[in-house]
Amino acid sequence: TSLKIPSTLHPQILSTLNLGGIKTVSEINNFPDAGLLALSKTLLPPSNLPLVPLKIHLPSNRTFSLPSPLNSTLHSLSSTSPILTEYLPFSCGGLSSCSTCHVYVVAGYTEPEEEEEDMLELSEGYEEGKSRLGCCLEVREGMEVVIPEGFKDYW
């Protein structure tokens, strides 16, 4: 028999594993590498990282600046900024397997990895050179994102 995932595990990891149907330690071995990498990025970054302003344009035509640790993702920031989850539900738990966190990067764009690009191409309103998934996008100095109106949640 396989060991069950301990309930004392970090809550974000436990939630994501449960969303993926992972109930035992041995099942983690079958989890795709891309999923494990995305899972590792869902954890809050160390607080000693420098904070930079991340400018976010909401569908309601409001704009705000969110102090964000460098290299953090929108998914990791959502645990401390409820307004992000109001507009970006991260339905897959930040595993890059949906597009409910699709955003447009209007300043500070970086190229996505191949797995993210595959998911982005399925998202509504995809624009090459501008679209990114918030669960994969790492905050950079001078970055500015637009959260588009509406999304398709197939979860």
Side-chain angles (χ1 to χ4, degrees), residues 44-94:
L44 292 174
S47 59
N48 61 347
L49 292 175
L51 296 178
V52 296
L54 173 62
K55 192 171 187 179
I56 300 174
H57 301 275
L58 300 173
S60 60
N61 292 323
R62 292 185 327 183
T63 299
F64 72 102
S65 182
L66 180 64
S68 308
L70 281 172
N71 302 319
S72 59
T73 65
L74 292 182
H75 184 259
S76 66
L77 294 171
S78 69
S79 65
T80 57
S81 179
I83 197 160
L84 285 177
T85 53
E86 180 180 336
Y87 292 99
L88 300 172
F90 301 101
S91 295
C92 68

Side-chain angles (χ1 to χ4, degrees), residues 105-150:
V105 180
V106 294
Y109 179 82
T110 55
E111 291 293 326
E113 297 289 326
E114 186 176 342
E115 294 86 8
E116 178 187 356
E117 186 74 34
D118 292 343
M119 184 54 60
L120 279 168
E121 290 171 356
L122 300 174
S123 69
E124 186 173 324
Y126 168 73
E127 291 185 32
E128 189 173 349
K130 193 173 176 184
S131 290
R132 290 294 308 268
L133 295 179
C135 62
C136 299
L137 178 65
E138 293 183 348
V139 174
R140 301 281 187 251
E141 185 96 31
M143 186 169 274
E144 191 171 336
V145 299
V146 174
I147 298 175
E149 185 75 41

